[in-house]
Each structure stands twice: as C-alpha cells, then as structure tokens.
Amino acid sequence: MKARVHVMLKDGVLDPQGEAVRHALGGLGFAGVEKVRQGKVIELDLADGTTEDAVREMCEKLLANTVIESYQIEMS
Amino acid sequence: MKARVHVMLKDGVLDPQGEAVRHALGGLGFAGVEKVRQGKVIELDLADGTTEDAVREMCEKLLANTVIESYQIEMS
C-alpha cells in the first residue's frame, strides 16, 4: 500500500523559497502569480496493513517539524 | 484560483533524500517501509483566468527540471 504525505509550512511562517519562485516567475514574464508556497511531498511504499496512525506517528517523529509545518496524509 | 504542482524525480533517478528518510524511519523502529520518494509540492495562487497551459509552461521553464523530474498539475 501507498501513502502520500504533504508537508507545508504553516500559514504565517515565512516561506523564502516560495517567495523566490514567485519572484522568478514574475521575472520570466508570467503575470498574475499572486502567492507561492513550496512544500515537500513524501511518497511511502508500505507493507500491507500499515495504518494511517502509523504514518501519522512517522510525521510527528520525523517527516514534519510540527512547530512550523503542517502535514496531510493520503492513504491509497 | 489555485494550482498545485507536484514535482517528483522520475523513476530510475536515484533519490538519496528519500533513501535517507527510509533509513531513518527504519532506525526509529517503523517496520515495513519499503520505499520512499521525496519530491516538491508548489501551491500557486493565480489570477482568475490563468489556464492550465500557463501553469504547464511555468513547470517547463522553472518549476521542474524535466531531464530528471516529472510534474503533475492540479487546478482548483
């Protein structure tokens, strides 16, 4: 089974990487890019029977820094 | 309107970051993590009327290195 985890900086936390992308897109002539946030996506191939709770524990312990990042889990 | 772009290393391209995460999860006692791939997710706030084609052009020109990375666009 697979899990996909999105890790994004929380709202209000400055995202210099996203800001750099926004600026670069403007420089390339793309108009109308108002805001950019950049995060991580982690795709996990897991043994059958792994629960979403186990993935949540992975996020809390390793994948996300919950002080400044939020995460979202999709199992499939 | 919003667009979300996933950028992942193509299959067959070595992903040392994902491999490091897999190893670390094993070290923390999480069994059954068979494979990990790590990529980027970019959330764009766009002016109304921006087309998916425009976002595709952003990917080709800046957001993804199409030699080694593939991308996926979700508009919403």
PDB file of all heavy atoms in Angstrom, chain B residues 35-59:
ATOM      1  N   LYS B  35       9.832   1.653   0.452  1.00  0.00           N
ATOM      2  CA  LYS B  35      10.442   2.595  -0.477  1.00  0.00           C
ATOM      3  C   LYS B  35       9.925   3.984  -0.147  1.00  0.00           C
ATOM      4  O   LYS B  35       8.758   4.139   0.227  1.00  0.00           O
ATOM      5  CB  LYS B  35      10.031   2.217  -1.911  1.00  0.00           C
ATOM      6  CG  LYS B  35      10.809   2.931  -2.998  1.00  0.00           C
ATOM      7  CD  LYS B  35      10.367   2.438  -4.382  1.00  0.00           C
ATOM      8  CE  LYS B  35      10.607   3.473  -5.441  1.00  0.00           C
ATOM      9  NZ  LYS B  35       9.880   3.190  -6.695  1.00  0.00           N
ATOM     10  N   VAL B  36      10.766   4.968  -0.278  1.00  0.00           N
ATOM     11  CA  VAL B  36      10.350   6.349  -0.044  1.00  0.00           C
ATOM     12  C   VAL B  36      10.883   7.202  -1.188  1.00  0.00           C
ATOM     13  O   VAL B  36      12.049   7.076  -1.573  1.00  0.00           O
ATOM     14  CB  VAL B  36      10.906   6.889   1.305  1.00  0.00           C
ATOM     15  CG1 VAL B  36      10.477   8.327   1.524  1.00  0.00           C
ATOM     16  CG2 VAL B  36      10.460   6.020   2.468  1.00  0.00           C
ATOM     17  N   ARG B  37      10.022   8.041  -1.742  1.00  0.00           N
ATOM     18  CA  ARG B  37      10.455   9.029  -2.738  1.00  0.00           C
ATOM     19  C   ARG B  37      10.038  10.396  -2.217  1.00  0.00           C
ATOM     20  O   ARG B  37       8.913  10.570  -1.753  1.00  0.00           O
ATOM     21  CB  ARG B  37       9.781   8.808  -4.093  1.00  0.00           C
ATOM     22  CG  ARG B  37       9.969   7.455  -4.706  1.00  0.00           C
ATOM     23  CD  ARG B  37      11.303   7.220  -5.319  1.00  0.00           C
ATOM     24  NE  ARG B  37      11.474   7.856  -6.619  1.00  0.00           N
ATOM     25  CZ  ARG B  37      12.641   7.853  -7.271  1.00  0.00           C
ATOM     26  NH1 ARG B  37      13.707   7.264  -6.751  1.00  0.00           N
ATOM     27  NH2 ARG B  37      12.745   8.433  -8.442  1.00  0.00           N
ATOM     28  N   GLN B  38      10.950  11.334  -2.282  1.00  0.00           N
ATOM     29  CA  GLN B  38      10.595  12.666  -1.815  1.00  0.00           C
ATOM     30  C   GLN B  38      10.600  13.657  -2.966  1.00  0.00           C
ATOM     31  O   GLN B  38      11.495  13.644  -3.813  1.00  0.00           O
ATOM     32  CB  GLN B  38      11.564  13.118  -0.714  1.00  0.00           C
ATOM     33  CG  GLN B  38      11.133  14.459  -0.135  1.00  0.00           C
ATOM     34  CD  GLN B  38      11.894  14.854   1.103  1.00  0.00           C
ATOM     35  OE1 GLN B  38      12.318  14.018   1.883  1.00  0.00           O
ATOM     36  NE2 GLN B  38      12.064  16.144   1.300  1.00  0.00           N
ATOM     37  N   GLY B  39       9.590  14.479  -3.018  1.00  0.00           N
ATOM     38  CA  GLY B  39       9.512  15.485  -4.064  1.00  0.00           C
ATOM     39  C   GLY B  39       9.064  16.818  -3.506  1.00  0.00           C
ATOM     40  O   GLY B  39       9.042  17.018  -2.298  1.00  0.00           O
ATOM     41  N   LYS B  40       8.712  17.706  -4.426  1.00  0.00           N
ATOM     42  CA  LYS B  40       8.290  19.045  -4.030  1.00  0.00           C
ATOM     43  C   LYS B  40       6.817  19.227  -4.356  1.00  0.00           C
ATOM     44  O   LYS B  40       6.309  18.650  -5.313  1.00  0.00           O
ATOM     45  CB  LYS B  40       9.054  20.102  -4.849  1.00  0.00           C
ATOM     46  CG  LYS B  40      10.504  20.210  -4.530  1.00  0.00           C
ATOM     47  CD  LYS B  40      11.160  21.289  -5.357  1.00  0.00           C
ATOM     48  CE  LYS B  40      11.317  20.880  -6.813  1.00  0.00           C
ATOM     49  NZ  LYS B  40      12.132  21.796  -7.613  1.00  0.00           N
ATOM     50  N   VAL B  41       6.153  20.030  -3.572  1.00  0.00           N
ATOM     51  CA  VAL B  41       4.810  20.466  -3.927  1.00  0.00           C
ATOM     52  C   VAL B  41       4.798  21.991  -3.904  1.00  0.00           C
ATOM     53  O   VAL B  41       5.348  22.610  -2.990  1.00  0.00           O
ATOM     54  CB  VAL B  41       3.734  19.832  -3.008  1.00  0.00           C
ATOM     55  CG1 VAL B  41       4.002  20.140  -1.551  1.00  0.00           C
ATOM     56  CG2 VAL B  41       2.351  20.284  -3.385  1.00  0.00           C
ATOM     57  N   ILE B  42       4.258  22.562  -4.960  1.00  0.00           N
ATOM     58  CA  ILE B  42       4.254  24.017  -5.092  1.00  0.00           C
ATOM     59  C   ILE B  42       2.807  24.468  -5.244  1.00  0.00           C
ATOM     60  O   ILE B  42       2.109  24.024  -6.163  1.00  0.00           O
ATOM     61  CB  ILE B  42       5.098  24.445  -6.316  1.00  0.00           C
ATOM     62  CG1 ILE B  42       6.530  23.945  -6.155  1.00  0.00           C
ATOM     63  CG2 ILE B  42       5.087  25.968  -6.482  1.00  0.00           C
ATOM     64  CD1 ILE B  42       7.274  23.803  -7.455  1.00  0.00           C
ATOM     65  N   GLU B  43       2.348  25.299  -4.328  1.00  0.00           N
ATOM     66  CA  GLU B  43       0.979  25.825  -4.388  1.00  0.00           C
ATOM     67  C   GLU B  43       1.017  27.246  -4.901  1.00  0.00           C
ATOM     68  O   GLU B  43       1.706  28.099  -4.324  1.00  0.00           O
ATOM     69  CB  GLU B  43       0.331  25.766  -2.999  1.00  0.00           C
ATOM     70  CG  GLU B  43       0.030  24.335  -2.571  1.00  0.00           C
ATOM     71  CD  GLU B  43      -0.679  24.245  -1.235  1.00  0.00           C
ATOM     72  OE1 GLU B  43      -0.855  25.306  -0.582  1.00  0.00           O
ATOM     73  OE2 GLU B  43      -1.046  23.131  -0.845  1.00  0.00           O
ATOM     74  N   LEU B  44       0.289  27.481  -5.972  1.00  0.00           N
ATOM     75  CA  LEU B  44       0.290  28.794  -6.615  1.00  0.00           C
ATOM     76  C   LEU B  44      -1.081  29.432  -6.489  1.00  0.00           C
ATOM     77  O   LEU B  44      -2.095  28.802  -6.814  1.00  0.00           O
ATOM     78  CB  LEU B  44       0.622  28.634  -8.108  1.00  0.00           C
ATOM     79  CG  LEU B  44       1.944  27.932  -8.458  1.00  0.00           C
ATOM     80  CD1 LEU B  44       1.821  27.215  -9.789  1.00  0.00           C
ATOM     81  CD2 LEU B  44       3.075  28.922  -8.507  1.00  0.00           C
ATOM     82  N   ASP B  45      -1.124  30.662  -6.011  1.00  0.00           N
ATOM     83  CA  ASP B  45      -2.352  31.471  -6.079  1.00  0.00           C
ATOM     84  C   ASP B  45      -2.263  32.297  -7.347  1.00  0.00           C
ATOM     85  O   ASP B  45      -1.347  33.123  -7.480  1.00  0.00           O
ATOM     86  CB  ASP B  45      -2.455  32.418  -4.874  1.00  0.00           C
ATOM     87  CG  ASP B  45      -2.879  31.703  -3.614  1.00  0.00           C
ATOM     88  OD1 ASP B  45      -2.845  30.456  -3.623  1.00  0.00           O
ATOM     89  OD2 ASP B  45      -3.214  32.375  -2.632  1.00  0.00           O
ATOM     90  N   LEU B  46      -3.210  32.091  -8.249  1.00  0.00           N
ATOM     91  CA  LEU B  46      -3.122  32.701  -9.571  1.00  0.00           C
ATOM     92  C   LEU B  46      -4.289  33.630  -9.825  1.00  0.00           C
ATOM     93  O   LEU B  46      -5.377  33.460  -9.263  1.00  0.00           O
ATOM     94  CB  LEU B  46      -3.120  31.597 -10.635  1.00  0.00           C
ATOM     95  CG  LEU B  46      -1.960  30.597 -10.540  1.00  0.00           C
ATOM     96  CD1 LEU B  46      -2.249  29.363 -11.372  1.00  0.00           C
ATOM     97  CD2 LEU B  46      -0.666  31.247 -10.985  1.00  0.00           C
ATOM     98  N   ALA B  47      -4.070  34.603 -10.689  1.00  0.00           N
ATOM     99  CA  ALA B  47      -5.155  35.476 -11.112  1.00  0.00           C
ATOM    100  C   ALA B  47      -6.215  34.621 -11.819  1.00  0.00           C
ATOM    101  O   ALA B  47      -5.880  33.630 -12.474  1.00  0.00           O
ATOM    102  CB  ALA B  47      -4.622  36.552 -12.050  1.00  0.00           C
ATOM    103  N   ASP B  48      -7.487  35.022 -11.678  1.00  0.00           N
ATOM    104  CA  ASP B  48      -8.568  34.292 -12.347  1.00  0.00           C
ATOM    105  C   ASP B  48      -8.321  34.261 -13.848  1.00  0.00           C
ATOM    106  O   ASP B  48      -7.871  35.242 -14.435  1.00  0.00           O
ATOM    107  CB  ASP B  48      -9.919  34.951 -12.056  1.00  0.00           C
ATOM    108  CG  ASP B  48     -10.375  34.653 -10.640  1.00  0.00           C
ATOM    109  OD1 ASP B  48      -9.833  33.714 -10.033  1.00  0.00           O
ATOM    110  OD2 ASP B  48     -11.246  35.384 -10.142  1.00  0.00           O
ATOM    111  N   GLY B  49      -8.613  33.142 -14.444  1.00  0.00           N
ATOM    112  CA  GLY B  49      -8.461  33.033 -15.883  1.00  0.00           C
ATOM    113  C   GLY B  49      -7.120  32.453 -16.315  1.00  0.00           C
ATOM    114  O   GLY B  49      -6.905  32.224 -17.498  1.00  0.00           O
ATOM    115  N   THR B  50      -6.218  32.239 -15.366  1.00  0.00           N
ATOM    116  CA  THR B  50      -4.948  31.603 -15.727  1.00  0.00           C
ATOM    117  C   THR B  50      -5.234  30.157 -16.145  1.00  0.00           C
ATOM    118  O   THR B  50      -5.964  29.448 -15.469  1.00  0.00           O
ATOM    119  CB  THR B  50      -3.984  31.618 -14.529  1.00  0.00           C
ATOM    120  OG1 THR B  50      -3.893  32.941 -14.021  1.00  0.00           O
ATOM    121  CG2 THR B  50      -2.589  31.141 -14.934  1.00  0.00           C
ATOM    122  N   THR B  51      -4.694  29.770 -17.275  1.00  0.00           N
ATOM    123  CA  THR B  51      -5.003  28.438 -17.796  1.00  0.00           C
ATOM    124  C   THR B  51      -4.000  27.405 -17.299  1.00  0.00           C
ATOM    125  O   THR B  51      -2.909  27.736 -16.840  1.00  0.00           O
ATOM    126  CB  THR B  51      -4.945  28.442 -19.332  1.00  0.00           C
ATOM    127  OG1 THR B  51      -3.619  28.811 -19.730  1.00  0.00           O
ATOM    128  CG2 THR B  51      -5.936  29.433 -19.922  1.00  0.00           C
ATOM    129  N   GLU B  52      -4.408  26.146 -17.423  1.00  0.00           N
ATOM    130  CA  GLU B  52      -3.504  25.054 -17.074  1.00  0.00           C
ATOM    131  C   GLU B  52      -2.284  25.071 -17.995  1.00  0.00           C
ATOM    132  O   GLU B  52      -1.187  24.710 -17.577  1.00  0.00           O
ATOM    133  CB  GLU B  52      -4.256  23.713 -17.180  1.00  0.00           C
ATOM    134  CG  GLU B  52      -3.457  22.570 -16.604  1.00  0.00           C
ATOM    135  CD  GLU B  52      -4.255  21.274 -16.445  1.00  0.00           C
ATOM    136  OE1 GLU B  52      -5.489  21.330 -16.248  1.00  0.00           O
ATOM    137  OE2 GLU B  52      -3.628  20.212 -16.536  1.00  0.00           O
ATOM    138  N   ASP B  53      -2.488  25.502 -19.234  1.00  0.00           N
ATOM    139  CA  ASP B  53      -1.351  25.599 -20.164  1.00  0.00           C
ATOM    140  C   ASP B  53      -0.292  26.572 -19.655  1.00  0.00           C
ATOM    141  O   ASP B  53       0.911  26.322 -19.809  1.00  0.00           O
ATOM    142  CB  ASP B  53      -1.829  26.050 -21.552  1.00  0.00           C
ATOM    143  CG  ASP B  53      -2.445  24.895 -22.329  1.00  0.00           C
ATOM    144  OD1 ASP B  53      -2.278  23.735 -21.876  1.00  0.00           O
ATOM    145  OD2 ASP B  53      -3.084  25.145 -23.365  1.00  0.00           O
ATOM    146  N   ALA B  54      -0.737  27.682 -19.048  1.00  0.00           N
ATOM    147  CA  ALA B  54       0.224  28.647 -18.497  1.00  0.00           C
ATOM    148  C   ALA B  54       1.016  27.991 -17.366  1.00  0.00           C
ATOM    149  O   ALA B  54       2.229  28.182 -17.250  1.00  0.00           O
ATOM    150  CB  ALA B  54      -0.509  29.888 -18.005  1.00  0.00           C
ATOM    151  N   VAL B  55       0.307  27.232 -16.535  1.00  0.00           N
ATOM    152  CA  VAL B  55       0.997  26.564 -15.421  1.00  0.00           C
ATOM    153  C   VAL B  55       1.977  25.518 -15.962  1.00  0.00           C
ATOM    154  O   VAL B  55       3.094  25.365 -15.443  1.00  0.00           O
ATOM    155  CB  VAL B  55      -0.028  25.918 -14.457  1.00  0.00           C
ATOM    156  CG1 VAL B  55       0.683  25.202 -13.320  1.00  0.00           C
ATOM    157  CG2 VAL B  55      -0.972  26.974 -13.895  1.00  0.00           C
ATOM    158  N   ARG B  56       1.571  24.843 -17.035  1.00  0.00           N
ATOM    159  CA  ARG B  56       2.471  23.852 -17.651  1.00  0.00           C
ATOM    160  C   ARG B  56       3.747  24.539 -18.149  1.00  0.00           C
ATOM    161  O   ARG B  56       4.847  24.003 -17.986  1.00  0.00           O
ATOM    162  CB  ARG B  56       1.738  23.134 -18.793  1.00  0.00           C
ATOM    163  CG  ARG B  56       2.562  22.011 -19.420  1.00  0.00           C
ATOM    164  CD  ARG B  56       1.729  21.058 -20.268  1.00  0.00           C
ATOM    165  NE  ARG B  56       0.781  20.333 -19.432  1.00  0.00           N
ATOM    166  CZ  ARG B  56      -0.551  20.441 -19.514  1.00  0.00           C
ATOM    167  NH1 ARG B  56      -1.102  21.199 -20.427  1.00  0.00           N
ATOM    168  NH2 ARG B  56      -1.319  19.753 -18.699  1.00  0.00           N
ATOM    169  N   GLU B  57       3.581  25.722 -18.709  1.00  0.00           N
ATOM    170  CA  GLU B  57       4.751  26.462 -19.184  1.00  0.00           C
ATOM    171  C   GLU B  57       5.662  26.861 -18.006  1.00  0.00           C
ATOM    172  O   GLU B  57       6.887  26.801 -18.118  1.00  0.00           O
ATOM    173  CB  GLU B  57       4.271  27.713 -19.938  1.00  0.00           C
ATOM    174  CG  GLU B  57       5.218  28.155 -21.041  1.00  0.00           C
ATOM    175  CD  GLU B  57       4.741  29.450 -21.700  1.00  0.00           C
ATOM    176  OE1 GLU B  57       3.515  29.622 -21.876  1.00  0.00           O
ATOM    177  OE2 GLU B  57       5.603  30.277 -22.035  1.00  0.00           O
ATOM    178  N   MET B  58       5.040  27.244 -16.886  1.00  0.00           N
ATOM    179  CA  MET B  58       5.843  27.554 -15.683  1.00  0.00           C
ATOM    180  C   MET B  58       6.656  26.339 -15.254  1.00  0.00           C
ATOM    181  O   MET B  58       7.821  26.448 -14.864  1.00  0.00           O
ATOM    182  CB  MET B  58       4.923  27.968 -14.522  1.00  0.00           C
ATOM    183  CG  MET B  58       4.186  29.265 -14.712  1.00  0.00           C
ATOM    184  SD  MET B  58       3.085  29.587 -13.302  1.00  0.00           S
ATOM    185  CE  MET B  58       1.960  30.774 -14.061  1.00  0.00           C
ATOM    186  N   CYS B  59       6.024  25.169 -15.322  1.00  0.00           N
ATOM    187  CA  CYS B  59       6.719  23.931 -14.939  1.00  0.00           C
ATOM    188  C   CYS B  59       7.898  23.677 -15.861  1.00  0.00           C
ATOM    189  O   CYS B  59       9.001  23.362 -15.413  1.00  0.00           O
ATOM    190  CB  CYS B  59       5.765  22.745 -15.001  1.00  0.00           C
ATOM    191  SG  CYS B  59       4.509  22.786 -13.732  1.00  0.00           S
TER     192      CYS B  59
END
